[in-house]
Amino acid sequence: MKFYNKLTDGKKSALIGGILIVILFSVLFYVSDNRKEKLESDYVWTEATITDIELNVSKSTITKKHIFHFEYIYNGKKYKKVRQVYRPELLKIGQKFKLKVHRKDPELIGYELEGT
């Protein structure tokens, strides 16, 4: 505690902020890793179809992103999702790709698009 008491107010704030950032990133990493493990533990393959591609959608005031919309059917229910893509020239509307779907949580998905 001596170390903390010797710090100025600005350095105390920076130390606390740094600790909070480390905790936040640790929690985010844990959630992401847990999600991947959950998907890998119990999944089925299904087919998804690209329904739309949007180029240069505004992400913020100075950056742009490319997104694609796709849909898939699992247990008779249609799901629609949107994801970001870095090489949209490799995608086409109507293109099909394989999709991992968690058996108990069909909103939890994983995919790989060739070339993107």
Side-chain angles (χ1 to χ4, degrees):
M1 208 58 181
K2 286 182 182 181
F3 169 75
Y4 183 76
N5 290 333
K6 289 181 183 179
L7 295 175
T8 62
D9 287 341
K11 289 183 180 180
K12 286 179 184 178
S13 296
L15 178 64
I16 291 171
I19 291 169
L20 290 175
I21 288 172
V22 168
I23 291 170
L24 175 68
F25 280 110
S26 298
V27 168
L28 290 174
F29 176 77
Y30 172 76
V31 168
S32 174
D33 194 47
N34 191 23
R35 182 182 175 280
K36 287 177 188 175
E37 280 184 26
K38 181 179 176 184
L39 179 60
E40 290 299 321
S41 69
D42 189 19
Y43 67 88
V44 295
W45 286 100
T46 189
E47 190 173 74
T49 305
I50 296 174
T51 57
D52 193 19
I53 301 169
E54 295 181 48
L55 303 177
N56 298 322
V57 177
S58 180
K59 185 175 181 180
S60 64
T61 57
I62 59 172
T63 59
K64 303 281 186 187
K65 66 179 179 177
H66 309 295
I67 60 172
F68 69 100
H69 301 253
F70 63 95
E71 57 187 37
Y72 59 98
I73 297 174
Y74 181 71
N75 282 342
K77 183 176 178 187
K78 184 186 284 190
Y79 295 89
K80 295 181 180 186
K81 296 285 186 178
V82 177
R83 292 292 187 265
Q84 186 169 347
V85 64
Y86 298 100
R87 301 204 39 214
E89 65 275 5
L90 300 175
L91 303 179
K92 294 178 180 73
I93 295 176
Q95 179 179 344
K96 298 189 181 303
F97 61 95
K98 289 187 174 188
L99 185 73
K100 283 183 182 179
V101 179
H102 190 270
R103 290 181 192 270
K104 296 177 184 157
D105 182 6
E107 295 282 334
L108 181 59
I109 60 171
Y111 63 92
E112 284 186 23
L113 294 170
E114 291 183 25
T116 59

